[in-house]
Amino acid sequence: MKLTFLGTGTSSGVPVIGCACKVCLSKDPKDSRLRCAALLETNTERILIDSGPDIRTQLLRYNIQSLSAILITHSHFDHIMGLDELRPFSWYKALELYADSSALKDIKRVFSYIFDNTNIQIGGGLTQFKDIIIEHYQTFYINDITITPLLVMHGKLPITGYKINNLAYLTDVKSLPIETLQQIQNIDTLVINCLRIQTHNTHLNLEEVLKLTQQIQAKKTYLIHMNHELSHQNWCDILPTNIHVAYDGLTISII
């Protein structure tokens, strides 16, 4: 099984529109961060984690030609607004869309024309989804892949992280409940957000991430959801050697 980071940036992406800071003007391709999304692949499945506004570019850039399912972490703009771009993947079979009840309610509101069975004007066709409500800590399976949705606190907002076999994918974390920490203790691979150096009210900063990773004790940790405060190389220079900075296009093997 392998995981490809399709995007590793925060909601504004990097470069930020209108910004002339060193990171936004950087020529290093690792400093260009599209909005967060990832692709999990096995011999039989391709599972997309989130589908933000950059997803068309990401799918074309990495030559992704089919999908089995989509896992949604939460319904903020930078995580769902590309869902309608998945239409070509659903021409012959509906895509399985996994989300908690709150996120799914928002998705159906934002994309009401997709889910409205009374819609008689479909134009070029509608994306076909098979929506599946998930519950935190209730394990489900996609073929031979074991997936457990985990409760994550995005500030005061409860959202979803995913434990997938020996991988934990957690984005937009500010804090983790005890049960989630127990579920991912000593996990092989941890993917978690680290927005910036300074404190933020809804995202982890560097100090908080380092404390959490000490608690979790993952064999490997990859940081995502960074803003433009630091370059990729700056992050690498200040982090412990056991914590890696993910970048767009990085592919890692998952046991």
Side-chain angles (χ1 to χ4, degrees):
M1 185 165 68
K2 64 181 181 178
L3 182 77
T4 299
F5 296 94
L6 305 180
T8 56
T10 187
S11 57
S12 60
V14 182
V16 178
I17 293 173
C19 184
C21 74
K22 289 183 179 180
V23 178
C24 288
L25 296 179
S26 171
K27 300 300 183 183
D28 184 349
K30 293 179 181 178
D31 287 334
S32 180
R33 304 175 185 133
L34 297 177
R35 268 65 73 91
C36 275
L39 183 73
L40 187 75
E41 296 179 88
T42 69
N43 291 333
T44 60
E45 308 295 333
R46 287 190 181 92
I47 300 173
L48 182 65
I49 306 176
D50 284 337
S51 181
D54 298 320
I55 199 65
R56 183 177 187 276
T57 296
Q58 293 162 327
L59 294 172
L60 291 171
R61 177 178 292 177
Y62 302 109
N63 194 30
I64 299 166
Q65 298 185 354
S66 65
L67 289 176
S68 310
I70 305 99
L71 306 180
I72 297 295
T73 60
H74 63 297
S75 58
H76 284 169
F77 175 90
D78 52 320
H79 294 265
I80 68 164
M81 286 309 292
L83 280 171
D84 201 20
E85 298 283 13
L86 306 181
R87 182 168 43 131
F89 293 140
S90 72
W91 280 338
Y92 303 108
K93 182 183 178 182
L95 289 167
E96 294 182 348
L97 179 66
Y98 295 85
D100 66 31
S101 57
S102 176
L104 193 57
K105 180 180 179 181
D106 287 341
I107 289 168
K108 288 186 174 183
R109 173 179 52 82
V110 172
F111 297 100
S112 59
Y113 60 93
I114 292 178
F115 295 94
D116 181 2
N117 293 328
T118 67
N119 188 352
I120 61 172
Q121 182 67 42
I122 63 172
L126 297 174
T127 310
Q128 302 297 312
F129 289 118
K130 178 183 179 183
D131 51 289
I132 301 168
I133 296 176
I134 59 175
E135 301 282 347
H136 294 139
Y137 309 118
Q138 298 298 306
T139 298
F140 62 93
Y141 302 88
I142 298 177
N143 202 341
D144 59 346
I145 303 171
T146 303
I147 303 173
T148 303
L150 303 173
L151 178 60
V152 168
M153 295 308 298
H154 182 11
K156 297 179 180 179
L157 179 69
I159 66 170
T160 302
Y162 290 96
K163 181 181 179 184
I164 307 168
N165 289 3
N166 291 315
L167 161 74
Y169 186 95
L170 310 177
T171 185
D172 289 51
V173 177
K174 179 61 178 178
S175 63
L176 297 177
I178 292 175
E179 187 169 353
T180 294
L181 285 169
Q182 292 172 338
Q183 289 266 354
I184 62 176
Q185 194 70 34
N186 302 120
I187 200 161
D188 284 348
T189 305
L190 171 67
V191 176
I192 193 165
N193 59 291
C194 183
L195 182 68
R196 63 188 192 186
I197 303 296
Q198 295 177 332
T199 301
H200 190 273
N201 62 338
T202 62
H203 295 84
L204 293 169
N205 72 342
L206 177 61
E207 181 181 1
E208 292 165 332
V209 167
L210 293 179
K211 287 181 180 178
L212 259 184
T213 55
Q214 283 293 318
Q215 288 181 268
I216 296 167
Q217 290 292 305
K219 293 182 176 64
K220 292 183 180 179
T221 297
Y222 293 86
L223 302 186
I224 59 170
H225 211 284
M226 288 84 71
N227 73 359
H228 62 149
E229 181 180 21
L230 293 178
S231 69
H232 176 86
Q233 189 57 53
N234 291 153
W235 278 115
C236 292
D237 291 342
I238 65 173
L239 286 169
T241 55
N242 64 325
I243 299 180
H244 309 280
V245 187
Y247 56 86
D248 294 16
L250 173 65
T251 296
I252 60 174
S253 296
I254 309 296
I255 298 174

